[in-house]
Amino acid sequence: MTVMTQTIALTVNGRAVSVHAPPAARLAHVLRDELGLTGTKIGCDAGDCGACTVLLDGKQVCGCLVSVAQAAGRAVTTVEGLATDAKLSTLQQAFHRHGAAQCGICTPGMLMAARDLLDRNPKPSESEAMDALGGVLCRCTGYRKIVDAVLEMANGANGAAAVALSVGSAVGARMAKVDGVAKLTGDEAYGADRIPEGALHLRVVRSPHHRAKFALGELAPLRARYPGLVAILTWRDVPGSNAYGIYPTGKDQFVLAVDEVRYRGDPVLALVGDKHTVYAIRDDELPIPWTRLEPVMGIASALGAGAPRVQPAKQGNVLTRGRVVKGIIENGWRAAAYKAEGAWHTSFVEHAYIEPEAGWARRVDNRIEIHVSTQTPYMDRDEVAFIMGLEKEQVRIVPTACGGGFGGKLDLSVQPLIAIAAWKLGKPVACVYTRPESMAATTKRHPATIRARAACAADGRLTAFEMHAEFDTGSYASWGPTVADRVPVHATGPYFVPAVKNTSIAVHTNGPPSGAFRGFGVPQAAIAHEALYDVLAEKSGIDPLEFRLVNAIKKGDATATGQVLQHSAGLPQCLIALRPRWALWRREAASFNETSSVLKRGVGIACMWYGCGNTSMSNPSTMRIGISREGKVTLYNGCADIGQGSNTIMIQIAADAVGLAADRFDYVMGDTDRTADAGKSSASRQTFVSGRATQLAGEDLRRKILRLANAGDAATLSLAGSMLLIRDGEGRRVVDLSAMPADKNGDAMFGEGTFDPPTQKLDENGQGIPYATFAFAAQMAEIEVDTELGTVKVRRIAAAHDVGRAVNPTQVEGQIHGGIAQGLGLALMEEYLPGRTENLHDYLIPTFGDVPPIDVLLVEDAEPLGPYGAKGIGEPALIPTAPAIFGAIHHATGVRMHFAPATPHRVREAILKAEASDETH
Ligand code: FES
Ligand code: FES
C-alpha cells in the first residue's frame, strides 16, 4: 500500500529535525518510529493513559492525540530531553530518591506533566500537583511517591544524590532502584522499544464473538491483494502442540483456534507483514464465516441444568474443586453465641498494566530467541518449546523491561506466534497488542460468588467458619486451579478458628480466561470473611479491631489446614500498631456525622494473610553470583523484575551476603541463557524464595573467597580493579582475579544458591502445610459517602504490614501504596464487561485524585527461612483494602455492600433499600 508522506520540520529536544511521515501520523509514533525516541510510551493510543505525554512548546500534550503536522515548526520536548550532560535533572533525581518509578512505563509521561507544571508554577500545592499530573495513569505506585517527589521540588529539592551504602548495610536501606535511572531517562527498553530494523509485524485476528463456530475460507486472494502481507498463519502452521496451558493437565487453550472460539478475543489467524499493511487490513475483509452459538455467561448459567459444555472434557463446566475441612463443623455451630452469614459477588477485573503485551523474536540458526515483556521467562521457554516442537534448550527468552504485570503477564501472549512466524520466515517478527486487544484477549481476576457463614462464642472467640466460593474461570483453565486451591486455605482470614469447612469450585464460562491477578482469589474471599467478622463484632458488642485481635492467629496456633505457625506471625502487632489511629479516626468520623446529613463518614478495618509461594508445591529458585577476572561482580538473576523492584533488593541481599558494597554489583535479569531458573514473579514469592537463594549464593561465594584466602568468617572484602583484598584482623591477603581461569561467563569465581520453601501436600480434607510462611496485615480506611449520589471518597488509609524484614523500606511502601490503589479499584470502580469496557475510558482505574494519603506502618516479625528475615509483600498489600472500605461504608451509612465494585448506583440502591426497609418496619 502506498502511504503519502511529507517532510515536516520541527525541533525536538532543542535539535532541528525533519521527518518524512504522513501529516496525520501521530506525534508519539513519529517520535518513536522515525526518531528512535522510544522514551515516549504508548499505552492506549487513544488519549486515556497519558503515557505518551510530551511537551509541545512547553505545554503537556498527549503525543497520541497530536498529529505530526500540528507539531510542524514547533518545539517538542520528550523525556530524553530532561537530563543534561548525562546528569539527571533535579526532577528526575527527586523521582529516583522517592521511588516514584516502579515498572517505569508511566514515568516519562509523569515527568513531562510534572515539568510542565513546575515551569508554570514552581510552588504547586498538593492538589495543584495532582490536577496537573491527573491525565497520566499509573498502575503501580498508587501515585503517592510521585506526589511526594513533585512536592519536594516545590519545596526546594536539595538535589542530593541517592544514599551511598557502606559494606554490610544494604539490607534495610532505602537504596534507589538499580534500574531507576534508565526508567527516568527513557533509556529503559520495554517490549515494544527495541524492535530490530526491518522486522516484520504480526497482528492477531481475534474472535468478535463469545462463542462461535467457523471455517476458514480461501486466504490466497488476501495475500494477492496486499503485497505487504507476507504470511497468514493458521493453526496448521503450529509446528508442535497447538494446545497449551499452565498446568500439565490443562492444555486446553489454542495458539490459534481450529474451528471454534470460546471467548471474545480468542485468536484465529495471524497476519504477518509490514506494519502498515497488517494494521490496514480490516477484520471484515477476512474469509471467516461465523456461526454464532449461544454463549454461557456467568457462573449460574454455566452450572445450570443443560448448559452447553464450554470445554468438551469438563462435565458440568467444572474445571476443578478445592476443599479444606478442619474439626467438626457442627460442634462449632453448637458452641456459638452469635452467627452471621451472607453472599457476595465480585466482577471480572482487568490488570490494566500501562504497557500492553509486546515483544519480538528472531531465529538464530537452530534456536529461537524471544525478547518479551514477561513475568516468567522459564515457563515461557518451556511452553514455547512445547508449542514449537523444539527442545527447551533451543528456546531463549530474554525479558525486556516489563511495564507492569500483576499476574497478567504470567500467561503466554505474543510469544508463540512471533516465535512461529520468525522461525518459518527467517526474519525478526514483532507483535505489540493494542489496548483494546490487550483488554479483550488476556486474563482477568476471577469473578466470584461467595456464600459464607461464621460464628463466635459470647466472648467473641470464633467457633466455626464455612465458605463456598464459586469462581468464573472463563473459557480456559489458565490459573483457575491455583485460585480454587488457594482460596479454601485462606478463606477464614488470619484468625484461629477451631472448626472450618471451606470449598471452592472453578467454573468454565464463555468469558475471558480468568487467571492470576494479585492475590489469586484471596482478595475476593477477604471481602466475605471480613464482613462476617464485622457483623459478629457488632452482635457480640466488641469493637471491630479488638474482635480481630482476640481472634488473630498467633505463633503456636493451627491454621485451617492444621499447619501450626512456628515463626513470624505478626498480625497482633499490626492491629496494635493501628489502635491509636482507629480510636481517633472513629471518633472524628462520629463527630463529623453529628453535623452532616448528606455526607457521612465511616472508618473500617480488615486483615489479611497470604501464603508466600506456590500452594503445596515445590517452587525452587536458583541464583548465581560471579566475580570476573576484571573484578566485576554480577548477579545472575532469573527473577523477572516487573516493577516490584526485585533487581534492586536481590542486589541488596547479595551485597550483604558476599560482604561487598551494593554499588559494586551489576546484574543480568531473566535471560534464560545466562541465568538459572528462579521461578515466576508471582505468589509474593520472589523476595522470600529468590531472596533466600540469593543470600545462599552470596554466602557460597564468600565462603569460597575466604577459603582461598585462608581467612576467617569475620574477614572483610574489597575490590580494587582485578585485585580482591581480604582483611582478616591484622592479616591482609590479595587475590589476583586476572590470573585465574574464567568460566563461560568470564567469571573467575562464582557462588550459587538454591532455595525451595518446605511445604507439604494437602490431603483430601485439605490438611497439610501449603506454605512455608505467611505475610500478615491489617488496614483501616476512612471514607466519605454522599448518601444522595452514592459516591464514595476514600479520605485516608493506614496500613500495617508484617513483612518479616523490609529489605528496602521505600520499595515496600511503594508496593503497599500500589496494592492499596488496586484494592480501592476493586472495591469501588473496576468492572470488566467483555465487549463493553475494552479501553481505559470505559474501564476506570484509580487516578491521582482517587488515592488518599496512606500511613504505612511496617512490622518486622522476622521469618527465619527468609533472606535476613524477609517475606513477600506484592499481593498482601491489596487484599485488606476492599473489605476495609466496605466496612467503612457500613460504618458511615449502615448498609453492607455485597457486590464489588460498590459503584455509586449500587451504593445508592443499597441506601434506598435500607431506608425503605426502615420505613416498612
Ligand atoms: S498512549 Fe496517548 S494517552 Fe495513552
Ligand atoms: S510505575 Fe507507573 S505504571 Fe508502573
Side-chain angles (χ1 to χ4, degrees):
M1 294 180 82
T2 314
V3 185
M4 300 302 293
T5 62
Q6 277 182 14
T7 300
I8 295 168
L10 60 161
T11 303
V12 179
N13 297 332
R15 193 166 61 89
V17 297
S18 289
V19 294
H20 308 283
R26 295 163 190 249
L27 178 60
H29 290 248
V30 172
L31 291 169
R32 291 176 58 83
D33 299 343
E34 306 300 323
L35 298 174
L37 296 171
T38 52
T40 299
K41 307 301 179 192
I42 296 176
C44 69
D45 226 9
D48 297 321
C49 74
C52 60
T53 301
V54 295
L55 302 185
L56 186 60
D57 288 340
K59 294 201 171 49
Q60 60 168 308
V61 294
C62 281
C64 73
L65 293 184
V66 172
S67 71
V68 67
Q70 285 174 287
R74 301 171 72 183
V76 176
T77 310
T78 70
V79 70
E80 289 91 346
L82 287 183
T84 39
D85 299 331
K87 189 171 178 304
L88 294 184
S89 66
T90 50
L91 176 63
Q92 289 165 310
Q93 288 173 34
F95 268 57
H96 199 36
R97 267 196 307 281
H98 283 275
Q102 286 188 22
C103 83
I105 194 80
C106 71
T107 307
M110 289 290 178
L111 286 167
M112 301 320 292
R115 186 68 275 151
D116 172 31
L117 166 73
L118 294 166
D119 287 347
R120 283 184 289 111
N121 177 3
K123 294 215 170 291
S125 64
E126 179 170 326
S127 66
E128 286 169 334
M130 288 166 78
D131 281 351
L133 274 65
V136 189
L137 295 177
C138 176
R139 192 58 159 166
C140 300
T141 62
Y143 303 102
R144 300 308 308 181
K145 289 195 180 287
I146 297 171
V147 173
D148 290 347
V150 174
L151 291 183
E152 183 188 282
M153 292 294 297
N155 297 327
N158 56 23
V163 191
L165 301 173
S166 54
V167 173
S169 65
V171 171
R174 290 182 179 273
M175 186 172 126
K177 276 172 110 79
V178 294
D179 45 5
V181 171
K183 293 175 196 293
L184 292 159
T185 56
D187 275 353
E188 187 71 292
Y190 296 83
D193 289 345
R194 296 286 188 277
I195 294 170
E197 190 96 19
L200 297 170
H201 284 255
L202 181 149
R203 176 170 88 78
V204 187
V205 177
R206 299 179 179 279
S207 167
H209 306 299
H210 301 300
R211 181 169 172 240
K213 290 271 188 191
F214 69 95
L216 288 176
E218 193 51 55
L219 297 169
L222 198 72
R223 291 277 314 277
R225 204 177 325 147
Y226 290 101
L229 183 60
V230 175
I232 305 175
L233 304 181
T234 73
W235 67 273
R236 291 182 198 282
D237 294 297
V238 179
S241 173
N242 188 34
Y244 70 96
I246 304 294
Y247 283 85
T249 52
K251 304 285 181 197
D252 60 357
Q253 197 157 356
F254 298 107
V255 178
L256 290 169
V258 177
D259 58 1
E260 181 177 353
V261 287
R262 294 186 170 82
Y263 77 104
R264 195 187 133 79
D266 231 352
V268 178
L269 289 176
L271 307 178
V272 190
D274 71 63
K275 188 175 177 183
H276 182 79
T277 300
V278 297
Y279 288 100
I281 296 171
R282 299 189 319 274
D283 282 7
D284 61 11
E285 293 180 77
L286 298 163
I288 312 176
W290 298 102
T291 305
R292 291 172 68 166
L293 301 170
E294 190 58 36
V296 179
M297 302 304 279
I299 296 167
S301 307
L303 295 177
R309 280 193 199 181
V310 174
Q311 284 286 345
K314 296 297 172 191
Q315 197 175 9
N317 288 319
V318 174
L319 166 66
T320 186
R321 295 174 191 274
R323 174 184 161 89
V324 168
V325 177
K326 170 191 170 191
I328 300 171
I329 195 79
E330 292 74 18
N331 290 351
W333 299 122
R334 266 196 294 277
Y338 305 105
K339 295 177 186 170
E341 66 181 310
W344 290 265
H345 305 272
T346 70
S347 311
F348 281 119
V349 181
E350 158 64 20
H351 300 87
Y353 23 75
I354 303 302
E355 180 204 28
E357 293 71 8
W360 58 276
R362 68 175 172 189
R363 184 172 181 163
V364 182
D365 301 325
N366 215 24
R367 300 184 77 211
I368 190 80
E369 185 178 298
I370 303 171
H371 298 250
V372 68
S373 176
T374 180
Q375 293 183 237
T376 177
Y378 271 84
M379 277 179 64
D380 287 0
R381 181 198 68 167
D382 296 356
E383 198 75 328
V384 169
F386 178 65
I387 289 166
M388 299 285 293
L390 298 174
E391 297 297 322
K392 290 174 184 174
E393 293 68 31
Q394 287 179 271
V395 179
R396 178 183 187 183
I397 303 290
V398 186
T400 64
C402 177
F406 319 116
K409 289 177 182 165
L410 288 172
D411 291 67
L412 291 179
S413 59
V414 302
Q415 296 90 326
L417 284 170
I418 56 176
I420 293 166
W423 187 262
K424 280 177 79 86
L425 300 170
K427 281 190 147 195
V429 176
C431 180
V432 180
Y433 282 6
T434 64
R435 174 58 55 183
E437 179 180 23
S438 172
M439 295 183 75
T442 63
T443 59
K444 304 285 168 278
R445 181 184 293 289
H446 285 70
T449 295
I450 297 172
R451 289 178 193 81
R453 53 185 185 148
C456 68
D459 63 0
R461 286 184 197 279
L462 291 166
T463 59
F465 185 93
E466 199 168 342
M467 177 184 284
H468 177 66
E470 296 173 347
F471 291 98
D472 181 344
T473 206
S475 40
Y476 298 104
S478 182
W479 295 86
T482 312
V483 169
D485 283 351
R486 191 174 268 272
V487 167
V489 173
H490 290 80
T492 56
Y495 308 99
F496 176 72
V497 192
V500 177
K501 185 178 175 193
N502 295 330
T503 53
S504 64
I505 178 172
V507 180
H508 279 303
T509 68
N510 289 115
S514 298
F517 192 164
R518 216 167 182 175
F520 283 111
V522 177
Q524 296 94 306
I527 289 173
H529 64 64
E530 291 302 297
L532 290 176
Y533 300 144
D534 275 347
V535 174
L536 290 178
E538 193 175 304
K539 286 188 175 179
S540 55
I542 301 174
D543 172 88
L545 184 149
E546 301 304 326
F547 182 90
R548 286 167 169 84
L549 193 51
V550 163
N551 288 294
I553 200 159
K554 297 179 272 301
K555 279 169 220 171
D557 285 343
T559 69
T561 71
Q563 175 178 358
V564 177
L565 299 182
Q566 305 287 354
H567 307 283
S568 189
L571 182 60
Q573 298 95 302
C574 292
L575 286 163
I576 289 164
L578 289 180
R579 243 186 199 152
R581 282 176 181 75
W582 175 252
L584 177 68
W585 291 15
R586 294 275 276 199
R587 262 201 319 276
E588 288 176 353
S591 127
F592 176 86
N593 291 341
E594 276 172 21
T595 55
S596 177
S597 57
V598 174
L599 299 179
K600 291 289 182 190
R601 288 186 187 167
V603 181
I605 189 165
C607 301
M608 82 91 225
W609 62 339
Y610 197 77
C612 299
N614 295 359
T615 309
S616 289
M617 257 191 240
S618 167
N619 62 135
S621 173
T622 297
M623 302 289 258
R624 293 181 183 136
I625 303 169
I627 306 185
S628 74
R629 289 157 50 121
E630 294 74 36
K632 189 173 94 166
V633 193
T634 305
L635 173 65
Y636 298 96
N637 172 4
C639 154
D641 191 324
I642 59 173
Q644 85 281 32
S646 53
N647 283 343
T648 306
I649 64 128
M650 295 304 166
I651 284 181
Q652 292 180 261
I653 293 166
D656 282 6
V658 179
L660 287 169
D663 60 10
R664 299 297 314 209
F665 281 71
D666 202 347
Y667 66 96
V668 175
M669 188 270 278
D671 182 337
T672 55
D673 270 13
R674 302 191 63 201
T675 66
D677 188 354
K680 56 199 167 35
S681 292
S682 80
S684 299
R685 61 178 291 284
Q686 290 295 18
T687 299
F688 175 53
V689 182
S690 293
R692 182 65 179 191
T694 302
Q695 183 183 355
L696 294 172
E699 290 168 354
D700 184 42
L701 176 58
R702 179 177 174 81
R703 218 173 8 252
K704 286 174 178 166
I705 295 169
L706 297 182
R707 198 182 309 136
L708 186 70
N710 201 19
D713 288 347
T716 59
L717 311 182
S718 60
L719 276 161
S722 62
M723 298 297 167
L724 179 57
L725 313 178
I726 300 109
R727 287 192 179 81
D728 188 12
E730 296 301 303
R732 187 173 178 277
R733 295 177 188 83
V734 180
V735 173
D736 181 0
L737 295 163
S738 68
M740 297 173 76
D743 65 14
K744 67 176 173 25
N745 292 320
D747 289 326
M749 300 191 76
F750 86 97
E752 181 174 291
T754 296
F755 178 60
D756 190 2
T759 61
Q760 200 185 72
K761 270 214 159 330
L762 301 182
D763 67 15
E764 67 282 3
N765 284 322
Q767 296 299 293
I769 301 178
Y771 309 105
T773 192
F774 291 81
F776 295 87
Q779 291 182 3
M780 42 185 278
E782 182 191 61
I783 56 98
E784 185 173 283
V785 183
D786 184 319
T787 54
E788 289 183 349
L789 298 175
T791 51
V792 177
K793 170 91 190 144
V794 183
R795 288 173 44 81
R796 51 183 167 171
I797 285 183
H801 282 257
D802 168 22
V803 296
R805 174 87 190 270
V807 176
N808 185 323
T810 301
Q811 294 204 42
V812 172
E813 288 159 5
Q815 285 295 297
I816 293 172
H817 291 176
I820 285 171
Q822 290 185 358
L824 188 155
L826 167 70
L828 297 177
M829 64 184 77
E830 296 192 38
E831 184 168 14
Y832 176 78
L833 302 166
R836 287 170 55 192
T837 58
E838 291 166 359
N839 55 64
L840 291 174
H841 54 264
D842 292 315
Y843 185 87
L844 301 180
I845 65 171
T847 62
F848 271 95
D850 295 310
V851 183
I854 297 167
D855 296 340
V856 174
L857 309 162
L858 295 182
V859 169
E860 296 184 308
D861 191 345
E863 166 53 56
L865 287 172
Y868 300 100
K871 307 188 281 190
I873 183 60
E875 281 146 310
L878 176 149
I879 297 166
T881 310
I885 290 172
F886 277 25
I889 293 173
H890 175 260
H891 186 229
T893 63
V895 302
R896 294 197 189 278
M897 298 308 299
H898 288 258
F899 198 109
T903 47
H905 77 279
R906 291 191 180 114
V907 174
R908 177 70 182 143
E909 192 181 300
I911 291 170
L912 288 176
K913 209 163 141 195
E915 285 171 0
S917 147
D918 280 353
E919 281 165 20
T920 328
H921 293 109

